[in-house]
Amino acid sequence: MSSQNPVQEVVSQPYKYGFITDIETEKIDKGINEDVIRLISSKKEEPKFLLEFRLRAYRQWLKMKEPDWAKFGYKSIDYQDIIYYAAPKKDQKKASLDEVDPKLLETFDKLGIPLSEQKRLSNVAVDAVFDSVSIATTYKEKLAESGVIFCSIGEAVNEYPDLVEKYLGTVVPSNDNFFAALNSAVFSDGSFVFIPKDVQCPMELSSYFRINSGDIGQFERTLIIAEERSSVSYLEGCTAPMFDTNTLHAAVVELVALDDSSIKYSTVQNWYSGNEEGIGGIYNFVTKRGHCRGDRSKISWSQVETGSAITWKYPSCVLQGQDSVGEFYSVALTNNLQKADTGTKMLHVGPRTRSTIVSKGISAGNSTNSYRGLVQMGPKAKGARNYSQCDSMLIGDQAAANTYPYIRSQQTEANIEHEASTCRISEDQLFYLQSRGVGQEEAVSMMVSGFCRDVFNQLPMEFAAEADKLLALKLEGSVG
Amino acid sequence: MISKDTKLILDISDLHASVEDQPILQGVNLRVHSGEIHALMGRNGCGKSTLAKILAGHPSYKVTSGQVLFCGQDLLAMEPEERARLGVFLGFQYPIEIPGVSNLEFLRVATNARRQCRGEEELDLFDFEDFVIDRLKIVQMDPAFLERSVNEGFSGGEKKRNEILQMALLEPIVSILDETDSGLDIDALRVVASGVKQLANPDNATLLITHYQRLLNEITPHFVHVMAAGRILRTGGPELALKLEQAGYDWLDDPSLDQEGE
Amino acid sequence: MSAPEWLVSLPAPYGVLESVQRRGRQYLASLGLPDFAEESWRLCDLARLEALLKLPVSSQQTDVHDYGQDKWPRPQSESLRVVLDPFRDPLESISLPNGITPLTSEELEQTLGHTLDVCECNATWPIAINHACAMNVLALKVDGSDLPPLELVINARPSELSATRVVLVLEENARLDLLQVVLGSRHSAHSHLLEIHLGQEASLNHGWVALGGGDASLMAHLAVEQETRSNYELTSVQQGWLFGRLEPRLVQVNGQAKTVLRGLQIASKSEQLATHSFVRFDGPEGDLDQLQKAVASDSSHSIFNGAIDVPRAAQRTNAAQLSRNLLLSGRARIDTKPELQIVADDVRCAHGATVSQLQQDELFYMRSRGISSDRSMKLLLQGYCQEIIKCLPINGERWTLLDQLVSV
């Protein structure tokens, strides 16, 4: 059946970001212990509080068990066989872009993220992270004019230690879960954003993560703080070369929104997902959480997940401030033997908090695509509301779509509404479009993109088109 | 006026109200006497439905100032059910469907609550059925609707008939009919209008809220009021409605009309 | 008391179920009590489960036959009422109508446990406990379509854990209305296990009314196996158990069957009521329509877990599930979780869940007709429950006085 299914055939195409940059890299030895953590910390010239934070997390991690409740059944990871720090060899951080190794600039060029002055996007500031290190951040000066801090977290640790110490680990405690603890112990680099009071960030901020070395783990850490009445829109993108081993990516993202502020966090994730036999690919075990600490604050997560062999990711909102708002818009496309278990948690703590969840899962090939979400109305969440919608689209009869929406309420004056549906692209629909002259591939991607429209509409404009293109690419291939 | 000993039933003075801090009514004044039929017209969003809901006591609306007296009593101080028992009736624009609750049971409980308030004897199951079967004729409704859940699966016309049936059972002193004509075909409109006419008498009053002349072709009002931006802009006789029909609501935008409030 | 101690206290295995008892006890001994790590026990009040095991298993033939029976509604003139208790032969002094016959011992041997195997539910705790202590089984074969409705009543045995087991085989084209009533009172505990096999084009309209009381507990597992073009309709009402757990588990073995599941659980005081349903389609073109309702007041806890499994073989399945919940008190809790696993691409599966209080606009509508706020709430609640209750076969609503069912 699957060989005759045109839809099925349209969904496979080679990974186009799979190249490796040939660059001299400084790596430390494989394995993890307290000395490794001290070494990472000293290489990054970190203050004492951070070393202590790392060591505390490491000791907690040692006592924790790797979770298996999502039943992925992957071969257990040998944590002593991973390199926890790798960086391009030349001096790590450059004062200006001219000093950055041209090979790196070329790499990002090839990935569609030009960094050099002439080519860079006019209204997007980019922090480019290569393996464990941030190699460049564009538009820093321009942002500084309005008081916005946008830099690598390594830089922030040295330049704004008070801010980092005040907020780091307050949303995702170092012992939150197995992978968050590991990240807290060994995190390499990532982005730091601080928007001061009353500032609307003048441009989109973006981090681009590139894993280049095959045997390193990527443990970036992102911290975004929006002070009272400020707002920011942030986008992260990710790619990695093709290796036949599995690379671990265990990031932690923490967002803090104070009174009347708003943070919009978008992700276009296109890590290498392994080949058709399921060999290689990234294990993407990520903890993302936003804390609506202030009244009327708002945190909005949008994600387009297309890559990784295994994804384990639940961008969440703790809605504490009264009238605060949480949103989650997600498209997850899985193909071949990919497994994605993604969703969100909306924890309604404060009164009149509101949340919206829109999740679109597309599973093709032999993949498994699961939505797992929790909506919880706490005892004080009077007048809180949630609306969730999760739709699945199945392509081919070997793909699986699972839905696990957990709902818990302890508040009579709260409303929760959940709707879900499952559909496929029917031959009739395809035929209808084709009979109007639309090519098969185009017809499939039109329908997939129509299915995802609600989510794409939430992405920043520059990236909505990119996401649409990415899905189309993923769906591209020979029509038999 | 219609008869010599009319009574002031509804006395609305300088009523201001808002929903979610958005002001909707901005000083409504209106007096309705027994035996009168009033029509309240206006564009969508002018506040006419809000006025109806406030008179019935809908919890979403907040009265910020002003007063409403119903037969001399402070209407705004009462719970919705007290108002209904005393004889205020709101015919809903969109009658609510209540699955599982039997229409007959609902009608009986409501009728008895009103009867008790009037010092009348409550009707038992059998007497009530006789009573309701008799009243069904007014709206030409099939008794089968009594066996169903309240409004559940009723068509638009059936829902409106069910509203008028309730009005016939409760025998209100003032009936406020909110867009009762909307969504009705001409036959259903006639049935509903004839029901309203049959129920109107010298001791009660009717306030028809409508957007179109259509209903007023069937029921001739004594007074027509036109609302805009939360106030009653003009008051006249039936000819005012005809004028609106001809000239459209844009005619109201003529600034020279502004001074004629009451 | 831990599970092993409790096992030791059980009477020695005997009777037709002797080997089953041994198996169940072995299983429990190796398994111990469930813990929170298991998804289906995650929210369970395990202390109450343990308390259930503090009760002695009915070990003698006390005559409870008449207990409270005077308060039961009279049987419908047409219907056949059978009272189940753990010891007495339920069929003594009852003459079965044509078309309903007890399974022969050979037939029983073939049938017993078969549906459990098909439903892959042999290795679960509530079944093991029934296996360990049920002494008797009522096994009936149903053939024909013009049969009197069957009422199966299980009475409370105060301060005892009583285990009952039923096997029901509906032959091809058979048609039956079945109403099961389970009653609880002071510290009574029930373990009930039911296996139903529906042959092709067979049709069963199944009512389940479980009315607890006092500190009564109930664990019931209903395993149903449906062949093609069969019809199964379950309407369950669960109320008043300190600890109540209903597990309908159903497999359409070759698809092409129709299943309707309606459930209502009304939790008040400090009760914990749970429904864990599971439906699997092992063939194409199956149909499921599920509506689960719950009302939680006081400091009660209502749990619903609705799993639907649509494997590759189940193309053109049409499944709809809706979970509607009313939370009436700030101390009560509602947990609801639909759980869909789909591996077939040509299916229509929809599910939805809502948790709210009574609809404000419905309340206002009724109040605007002069009905007091309390009365309106009561009417609305009754209407809400009535939607399920009215579907009970054999006038099952006679057992549940709606007025007592919901109090505001």
Side-chain angles (χ1 to χ4, degrees):
Chain A
M1 156 119 198
S2 67
S3 67
Q4 294 149 9
N5 186 341
V7 181
Q8 174 61 48
E9 294 185 13
V10 174
V11 295
S12 307
Q13 70 104 194
Y15 187 65
K16 60 181 264 191
Y17 304 110
F19 63 90
I20 301 170
T21 306
D22 180 20
I23 189 160
E24 258 193 290
T25 309
E26 182 204 356
K27 294 178 182 174
I28 63 169
D29 289 338
K30 280 183 179 173
I32 181 170
N33 54 46
E34 293 204 3
D35 289 340
V36 168
I37 290 163
R38 284 175 209 280
L39 182 64
I40 294 172
S41 191
S42 75
K43 277 192 177 298
K44 300 171 82 71
E45 296 163 24
E46 289 174 354
K48 201 162 166 252
F49 84 85
L50 198 55
L51 175 63
E52 277 164 12
F53 177 84
R54 288 176 182 278
L55 289 171
R56 210 165 41 237
Y58 175 68
R59 287 166 199 151
Q60 284 162 329
W61 178 74
L62 284 177
K63 289 183 220 145
M64 298 168 95
K65 272 204 288 190
E66 194 169 333
D68 68 343
W69 44 266
K71 300 193 172 59
F72 289 134
Y74 58 89
K75 217 173 87 204
S76 66
I77 298 168
D78 181 354
Y79 292 94
Q80 296 304 340
D81 197 35
I82 292 172
I83 293 173
Y84 289 88
Y85 183 82
K89 205 154 200 177
K90 291 215 189 149
D91 199 11
Q92 301 156 347
K93 192 70 198 181
K94 308 294 173 180
S96 86
L97 275 172
D98 310 337
E99 295 169 48
V100 175
D101 188 327
K103 271 189 188 159
L104 287 177
L105 294 181
E106 210 178 285
T107 302
F108 281 92
D109 253 4
K110 254 169 113 175
L111 296 170
I113 315 290
L115 300 173
S116 59
E117 207 108 3
Q118 311 87 297
K119 293 194 229 160
R120 64 193 186 185
L121 300 165
S122 61
N123 50 349
V124 183
V126 178
D127 182 29
V129 180
F130 190 86
D131 282 349
S132 302
V133 166
S134 162
I135 57 154
T137 310
T138 61
Y139 291 115
K140 270 172 82 166
E141 304 72 26
K142 189 173 169 202
L143 288 168
E145 283 167 26
S146 42
V148 172
I149 303 172
F150 180 40
C151 61
S152 75
I153 195 129
E155 242 177 294
V157 164
N158 290 306
E159 286 176 35
Y160 316 99
D162 295 350
L163 280 177
V164 174
E165 191 172 3
K166 183 173 174 192
Y167 289 106
L168 187 77
T170 62
V171 182
V172 179
S174 56
N175 62 349
D176 189 78
N177 67 67
F178 183 83
F179 295 109
L182 179 61
N183 175 287
S184 301
V186 300
F187 71 85
S188 38
D189 221 330
S191 300
F192 177 82
V193 177
F194 178 82
I195 316 289
K197 274 179 199 159
D198 298 301
V199 171
Q200 318 299 309
C201 186
M203 56 172 75
E204 298 277 341
L205 305 183
S206 165
S207 291
Y208 198 87
F209 297 97
R210 171 73 178 172
I211 296 181
N212 194 53
S213 309
D215 42 5
I216 73 149
Q218 176 122 357
F219 303 97
E220 85 267 1
R221 184 131 194 153
T222 299
L223 177 58
I224 299 179
I225 301 138
E227 282 203 325
E228 289 84 353
R229 299 170 299 283
S230 69
S231 74
V232 62
S233 168
Y234 175 93
L235 183 118
E236 67 166 29
C238 348
T239 56
M242 295 191 276
F243 292 109
D244 54 10
T245 52
N246 297 109
T247 309
L248 177 64
H249 173 252
V252 170
V253 174
E254 298 181 275
L255 313 182
V256 179
L258 303 182
D259 287 0
D260 299 288
S261 67
S262 113
I263 301 175
K264 185 178 179 73
Y265 191 108
S266 314
T267 307
V268 175
Q269 186 262 106
N270 188 21
W271 295 120
Y272 177 55
S273 58
N275 68 9
E276 285 130 66
E277 278 89 50
I279 297 179
I282 302 278
Y283 288 167
N284 192 32
F285 300 153
V286 174
T287 306
K288 291 185 167 175
R289 195 174 302 153
H291 190 179
C292 283
R293 220 166 268 187
D295 295 348
R296 297 166 302 282
S297 57
K298 176 176 175 183
I299 289 178
S300 177
W301 298 100
S302 323
Q303 58 172 29
V304 177
E305 301 279 317
T306 63
S308 298
I310 300 177
T311 299
W312 184 91
K313 182 181 166 190
Y314 316 94
S316 304
C317 294
V318 179
L319 302 169
Q320 185 181 39
Q322 47 187 13
D323 298 286
S324 60
V325 175
E327 294 176 341
F328 175 76
Y329 297 94
S330 168
V331 165
L333 171 68
T334 55
N335 197 0
N336 298 327
L337 289 160
Q338 274 180 276
K339 291 189 170 84
D341 199 280
T342 183
T344 183
K345 291 187 205 168
M346 292 292 174
L347 305 173
H348 291 254
V349 181
R352 297 178 307 281
T353 46
R354 280 169 292 143
S355 65
T356 305
I357 299 171
V358 177
S359 161
K360 306 276 180 178
I362 304 149
S363 24
N366 285 296
S367 67
T368 305
N369 199 328
S370 304
Y371 169 82
R372 192 185 300 272
L374 169 68
V375 175
Q376 183 169 331
M377 297 294 179
K380 294 195 180 108
K382 197 169 172 178
R385 306 187 75 91
N386 158 269
Y387 173 74
S388 314
Q389 183 193 338
C390 1
D391 298 326
S392 313
M393 180 182 264
L394 287 130
I395 298 179
D397 64 354
Q398 311 283 311
N402 304 330
T403 317
Y404 310 100
Y406 296 66
I407 294 171
R408 155 167 290 199
S409 181
Q410 294 174 273
Q411 170 53 250
T412 56
E413 289 181 38
N415 274 290
I416 305 173
E417 239 180 286
H418 171 93
E419 278 180 63
S421 72
T422 301
C423 68
R424 66 162 188 165
I425 298 176
S426 78
E427 252 92 282
D428 290 347
Q429 289 170 314
L430 262 189
F431 175 72
Y432 183 78
L433 286 173
Q434 286 176 287
S435 74
R436 297 290 177 268
V438 181
Q440 203 163 50
E441 271 177 24
E442 207 185 332
V444 169
S445 75
M446 264 169 80
M447 276 184 284
V448 168
S449 129
F451 176 71
C452 303
R453 174 115 321 123
D454 300 351
V455 174
F456 288 163
N457 286 344
Q458 298 299 324
L459 291 173
M461 245 220 306
E462 290 79 4
F463 300 102
E466 187 185 319
D468 210 357
K469 221 162 46 193
L470 180 63
L471 280 203
L473 277 177
K474 270 266 175 186
L475 294 167
E476 189 178 277
S478 56
V479 179
Chain B
M1 293 290 143
I2 316 298
S3 99
K4 286 195 183 97
D5 35 32
T6 57
K7 211 173 118 201
L8 181 57
I9 289 180
L10 203 54
D11 185 0
I12 304 172
S13 45
D14 196 29
L15 188 64
H16 287 72
S18 60
V19 60
E20 287 171 359
D21 296 330
Q22 191 72 36
I24 309 275
L25 298 188
Q26 322 219 37
V28 174
N29 293 292
L30 181 66
R31 291 172 148 221
V32 177
H33 294 84
S34 56
E36 294 175 354
I37 297 178
H38 291 241
L40 184 61
M41 304 184 73
R43 285 195 185 97
N44 286 330
C46 70
K48 53 192 196 302
S49 282
T50 300
L51 178 62
K53 288 195 176 120
I54 284 172
L55 294 177
H58 196 288
S60 299
Y61 298 89
K62 214 188 183 135
V63 173
T64 46
S65 67
Q67 184 180 250
V68 179
L69 295 178
F70 171 67
C71 300
Q73 299 181 65
D74 181 1
L75 186 70
L76 300 177
M78 297 179 211
E79 293 295 318
E81 58 267 36
E82 288 179 72
R83 304 180 194 202
R85 288 173 193 174
L86 289 172
V88 177
F89 179 86
L90 170 64
F92 284 65
Q93 182 178 5
Y94 303 109
I96 307 290
E97 297 193 16
I98 309 178
V101 175
S102 134
N103 200 22
L104 186 65
E105 169 77 353
F106 161 69
L107 296 172
R108 192 173 71 89
V109 172
T111 305
N112 279 336
R114 169 94 173 109
R115 289 178 71 90
Q116 199 185 23
C117 181
R118 288 203 287 185
E120 293 167 1
E121 211 175 311
E122 292 189 32
L123 298 174
D124 66 22
L125 228 57
F126 301 104
D127 291 342
F128 180 71
E129 250 187 278
D130 294 344
F131 181 50
V132 81
I133 294 289
D134 177 61
R135 293 292 152 128
L136 277 173
K137 291 181 211 140
I138 295 178
V139 286
Q140 299 172 28
M141 205 164 123
D142 184 341
F145 285 101
L146 299 174
E147 303 303 322
R148 294 173 46 181
S149 295
V150 179
N151 293 326
E152 194 190 23
F154 287 25
S155 71
E158 286 155 4
K159 280 182 184 164
K160 295 293 167 72
R161 284 183 205 207
N162 204 28
E163 293 293 287
I164 305 302
L165 173 64
Q166 289 167 38
M167 181 175 152
L169 292 169
L170 298 178
E171 297 168 351
I173 296 169
V174 61
S175 302
I176 304 144
L177 303 177
D178 188 7
E179 308 257 357
T180 295
D181 50 335
S182 71
L184 294 186
D185 62 38
I186 189 69
D187 293 331
L189 181 73
R190 288 212 172 107
V191 171
V192 165
S194 117
V196 173
K197 276 193 285 194
Q198 287 176 63
L199 294 169
N201 67 40
D203 296 321
N204 65 22
T206 311
L207 179 58
L208 302 169
I209 294 178
T210 182
H211 191 73
Y212 303 106
Q213 167 64 28
R214 211 160 80 111
L215 179 66
L216 307 184
N217 291 336
E218 305 292 329
I219 308 170
T220 311
H222 304 103
F223 301 95
V224 173
H225 311 274
V226 183
M227 246 181 120
R231 292 188 309 133
I232 289 178
L233 210 61
R234 278 215 95 182
T235 294
E239 74 288 347
L240 182 58
L242 288 169
K243 173 111 197 211
L244 272 177
E245 173 89 343
Q246 285 157 15
Y249 282 103
D250 289 344
W251 166 67
L252 292 171
D253 295 334
D254 186 344
S256 63
L257 293 167
D258 260 7
Q259 61 273 24
E260 305 175 56
E262 279 276 313
Chain C
M1 196 188 287
S2 65
E5 282 172 65
W6 176 76
L7 285 171
V8 172
S9 76
L10 295 177
Y14 72 93
V16 280
L17 297 175
E18 189 184 327
S19 64
V20 176
Q21 288 159 20
R22 284 186 204 286
R23 203 149 33 91
R25 290 171 198 194
Q26 259 167 22
Y27 184 77
L28 283 177
S30 65
L31 197 70
L33 278 173
D35 68 62
F36 293 124
E38 282 173 76
E39 179 63 25
S40 75
W41 296 95
R42 192 170 54 92
L43 301 163
C44 175
D45 187 335
L46 293 179
R48 291 185 191 177
L49 188 63
E50 254 176 279
L52 196 149
L53 293 187
K54 291 204 169 79
L55 294 172
V57 169
S58 318
S59 57
Q60 52 191 310
Q61 207 159 329
T62 43
D63 198 6
V64 292
H65 225 90
D66 300 323
Y67 178 76
Q69 211 161 349
D70 49 331
K71 297 193 191 107
W72 294 0
R74 296 166 60 84
Q76 298 280 94
S77 57
E78 291 290 294
S79 72
L80 174 69
R81 177 176 288 174
V82 176
V83 179
L84 274 187
D85 91 43
F87 296 97
R88 203 183 287 260
D89 173 5
L91 298 178
E92 81 181 13
S93 75
I94 281 180
S95 61
L96 288 170
N98 281 339
I100 301 184
T101 44
L103 292 184
T104 64
S105 54
E106 292 81 40
E107 285 172 327
L108 181 63
E109 202 174 321
Q110 278 179 10
T111 315
L112 194 72
H114 181 265
T115 302
L116 294 179
D117 288 341
V118 169
C119 297
E120 288 172 6
C121 49
N122 253 323
T124 71
W125 211 82
I127 291 172
I129 199 170
N130 188 278
H131 279 170
C133 48
M135 306 293 172
N136 220 325
V137 56
L138 171 67
L140 297 174
K141 186 164 71 178
V142 178
D143 201 355
S145 56
D146 193 20
L147 297 168
L150 178 61
E151 236 181 13
L152 274 181
V153 187
I154 305 175
N155 205 352
R157 297 171 66 97
S159 304
E160 281 183 14
L161 170 61
S162 74
T164 46
R165 183 162 185 183
V166 173
V167 173
L168 203 59
V169 178
L170 268 74
E171 302 283 5
E172 279 181 28
N173 297 307
R175 225 160 250 284
L176 183 70
D177 281 0
L178 168 70
L179 178 68
Q180 275 186 284
V181 179
V182 186
L183 302 169
S185 76
R186 296 161 291 139
H187 295 290
S188 71
H190 286 289
S191 154
H192 183 73
L193 178 56
L194 170 70
E195 287 178 87
I196 297 175
H197 181 110
L198 289 177
Q200 294 192 4
E201 290 181 53
S203 176
L204 178 64
N205 188 359
H206 186 187
W208 173 268
V209 178
L211 304 172
D215 296 331
S217 321
L218 167 69
M219 270 197 298
H221 191 99
L222 317 178
V224 183
E225 187 185 355
Q226 277 189 268
E227 295 199 35
T228 50
R229 298 184 301 285
S230 64
N231 259 300
Y232 177 71
E233 227 175 283
L234 172 67
T235 306
S236 66
V237 176
Q238 193 178 191
Q239 190 214 4
W241 303 88
L242 182 69
F243 176 78
R245 184 178 172 108
L246 177 66
E247 304 181 338
R249 199 171 168 103
L250 188 141
V251 172
Q252 292 193 1
V253 287
N254 289 307
Q256 292 178 59
K258 192 166 166 41
T259 309
V260 178
L261 300 179
R262 297 182 202 95
L264 169 67
Q265 55 195 27
I266 302 164
S268 59
K269 300 187 198 109
S270 62
E271 294 157 8
Q272 183 181 63
L273 300 183
T275 298
H276 294 257
S277 72
F278 171 88
V279 179
R280 192 177 77 223
F281 299 88
D282 282 350
E285 287 156 25
D287 199 284
L288 168 70
D289 188 0
Q290 182 172 19
L291 172 62
Q292 179 71 24
K293 287 188 163 190
V295 183
S297 54
D298 304 331
S299 52
S300 64
H301 186 186
S302 164
I303 302 166
F304 171 62
N305 197 90
I308 298 175
D309 194 359
V310 186
R312 194 165 308 140
Q315 294 294 343
R316 296 175 298 287
T317 295
N318 190 352
Q321 180 192 70
L322 184 61
S323 158
R324 291 187 57 197
N325 301 278
L326 285 181
L327 185 60
L328 298 182
S329 144
R331 287 166 297 134
R333 229 166 85 188
I334 284 180
D335 278 279
T336 179
K337 190 183 80 171
E339 201 182 311
L340 260 72
Q341 314 209 53
I342 302 169
V343 195
D345 61 337
D346 187 6
V347 296
R348 295 221 320 250
C349 289
H351 63 106
T354 58
V355 182
S356 62
Q357 56 176 345
L358 289 169
Q359 291 302 313
Q360 290 307 311
D361 47 355
E362 292 182 1
L363 263 181
F364 175 68
Y365 186 71
M366 301 190 77
R367 290 175 70 192
S368 78
R369 296 298 176 255
I371 303 174
S372 73
S373 172
D374 278 1
R375 186 80 190 260
S376 301
M377 276 164 79
K378 191 157 182 165
L379 276 171
L380 283 176
L381 271 178
Q382 288 176 351
Y384 179 86
C385 297
Q386 188 63 21
E387 218 184 345
I388 303 291
I389 292 172
K390 70 170 188 223
C391 299
L392 284 168
I394 328 181
N395 287 326
E397 70 267 25
R398 289 170 303 132
W399 289 89
T400 70
L401 284 175
L402 205 54
D403 250 1
Q404 293 163 11
L405 210 54
V406 279
S407 46
V408 178

